[in-house]
Amino acid sequence: LGDPDLVLDGIVGISGRGSLRPAAAALVEANTAPIVAIDTPSGVDPDTGVVDGPAVTAALTVTFGARKPVHVLAPARCGRVELVDIGLDLPPADLVAVEPAELGAIWPVPGPDDDKYSQGVVGIVAGSAQYPGAGVLCTGAAVAATSGMVRYVGSAAAEVLARFPEVVAAPTFDAAARAQAWVVGPGGGTDAQAEKTLRDVLATDLPVLVDADGLTILARNPSLVRGRSAPTLLTPHAGEFARLTGSDPHPDRVVAARRLAAQWQVHVLLKGRATLIARPDGHTFVNDAGGSWASTAGAGDLLAGIVGALMSSGMPVDLAAAAGARAHALAANLAARGESGESAGTAPVSASSIAEYLRAAVRILRTHASES
């Protein structure tokens, strides 16, 4: 290669599979110049983003006609992605990234005739004596996400109300008034009482989001959710997914999420840098977080609260999950960079700091909608 200022990667095309062969791998390893990949970085699977050996890491990927799955499933390998329109007549995509303006346009805004009930009442069953913080984080995120009403059920009521006095608390699910959607599981435990509460929540005719400890209970007893007629959303990370299904979602996370959604007839939100939201019919949304700042304890509790609040507003489950994932990721990026933006550097992030930026994230999404 000599001593180039820039290298174009066209080693293999979009149908290429597997890692780089030795001669190509040696060239890539010796190179120190920035690489621009043509369509996809060579050695990275174009459909799954998986790397199983030597591969290109591009500073920029220029792709033609349409974005490919690799661009969202392996963003660290692709770098910045630029799409060049070459006039292709394309079929509907089976992996869809929703634009910020689209999400901002559907985020609930109070109308002239709305009240706290008509905007959506979400019930949160979360937290325990051992993990009261899960209840605080999940409930607080629901409070920040919409302008309706939040009910809390659990033993962490004192801690929740100390932070969020607008929440209406009840000691048990049986004692709680009606909601329009429920979130159950974060920090709630996996004992017999927790299983009974999960069973009671799933017996309703309302949309239900099951997370964390609730997923552990479902892994033991899938019949609790299979065949349920009302919408159900499961929100596992990779380890929880493996407990639910008996297998790791890698290497093809898209296929794995779709398979679980179809077999159990539920919606599945598979967490990760690229979060996937699969419907039972196979349609899948994807959200690239733009970073891994949300990989911190308690961040999943926040996501459950945001999505649950959107579900209670009447938003379809898949769109609520896609919008919640986008706002959650944006809040994490804002927390890392602060008000001054990326040029000022980043700082460590915790779930509490992400929660502080949730309203700012929603405001940014709405601003995109108003400007489009």
Side-chain angles (χ1 to χ4, degrees):
L1 289 179
D3 186 24
D5 295 312
L6 188 71
V7 171
L8 298 184
D9 163 33
I11 300 172
V12 297
I14 58 173
S15 62
R17 294 290 188 276
S19 59
L20 296 177
R21 296 175 182 176
L27 282 174
V28 170
E29 184 178 7
N31 171 62
T32 58
I35 295 177
V36 176
I38 301 171
D39 264 323
T40 67
S42 296
V44 184
D45 190 283
D47 292 328
T48 67
V50 168
V51 174
D52 58 6
V56 166
T57 298
L60 169 70
T61 297
V62 181
T63 192
F64 303 91
R67 293 179 183 266
K68 286 75 178 176
V70 65
H71 299 142
V72 72
L73 298 176
R77 289 284 182 171
C78 295
R80 191 174 88 250
V81 178
E82 294 290 343
L83 173 64
V84 178
D85 185 1
I86 56 175
L88 298 181
D89 185 12
L90 298 167
D94 65 354
L95 187 63
V96 179
V98 189
E99 293 296 326
E102 295 175 298
L103 298 176
I106 64 172
W107 205 284
V109 176
D113 298 322
D114 271 322
D115 57 32
K116 60 188 177 185
Y117 299 110
S118 64
Q119 294 182 76
V121 180
V122 61
I124 306 291
V125 185
S128 59
Q130 186 175 7
Y131 300 112
V136 174
L137 291 169
C138 189
T139 306
V143 169
T146 63
S147 299
M149 182 178 179
V150 180
R151 299 190 188 279
Y152 173 77
V153 173
S155 60
E159 291 89 342
V160 169
L161 293 175
R163 288 284 302 275
F164 306 104
E166 59 267 57
V167 172
V168 178
T172 65
F173 177 70
D174 292 337
R178 186 173 172 84
Q180 280 137 340
W182 285 94
V183 175
V184 58
T190 60
D191 58 13
Q193 181 56 51
E195 181 168 337
K196 178 185 181 303
T197 299
L198 176 61
R199 187 185 301 272
D200 291 344
V201 173
L202 291 171
T204 68
D205 59 355
L206 300 170
V208 174
L209 183 157
V210 184
D211 186 42
D213 286 339
L215 297 173
T216 300
I217 296 172
L218 284 184
R220 298 195 307 247
N221 192 354
S223 63
L224 291 176
V225 71
R226 285 181 174 175
R228 190 169 185 267
S229 57
T232 310
L233 173 65
L234 310 185
T235 58
H237 55 57
E240 291 164 340
F241 187 97
R243 285 198 291 274
L244 287 170
T245 65
S247 60
D248 191 278
H250 297 90
D252 197 330
R253 299 172 67 246
V254 176
V255 167
R258 286 173 174 160
R259 184 183 298 119
L260 175 58
Q263 289 177 348
W264 289 30
Q265 286 298 291
V266 295
H267 292 72
V268 174
L269 184 155
L270 179 56
K271 298 172 185 173
R273 160 73 186 259
T275 293
L276 300 168
I277 299 104
R279 293 193 315 222
D281 65 4
H283 182 279
T284 306
F285 286 119
V286 60
N287 178 69
D288 173 22
S292 298
W293 294 110
S295 299
T296 185
D301 304 330
L302 298 176
L303 178 60
I306 300 167
V307 176
L310 293 173
M311 288 166 56
S312 76
S313 74
M315 192 180 294
V317 173
D318 57 339
L319 288 177
R326 190 54 173 259
H328 182 260
L330 179 53
N333 290 333
L334 291 171
R337 293 178 171 85
E339 298 291 349
S340 54
E342 183 176 1
S343 60
T346 57
V349 167
S350 69
S352 295
S353 62
I354 295 173
E356 293 174 4
Y357 282 92
L358 284 175
R359 286 188 173 88
V362 174
R363 189 174 295 115
I364 289 171
L365 293 176
R366 285 178 171 167
T367 300
H368 277 286
S370 64
E371 292 175 351
S372 65

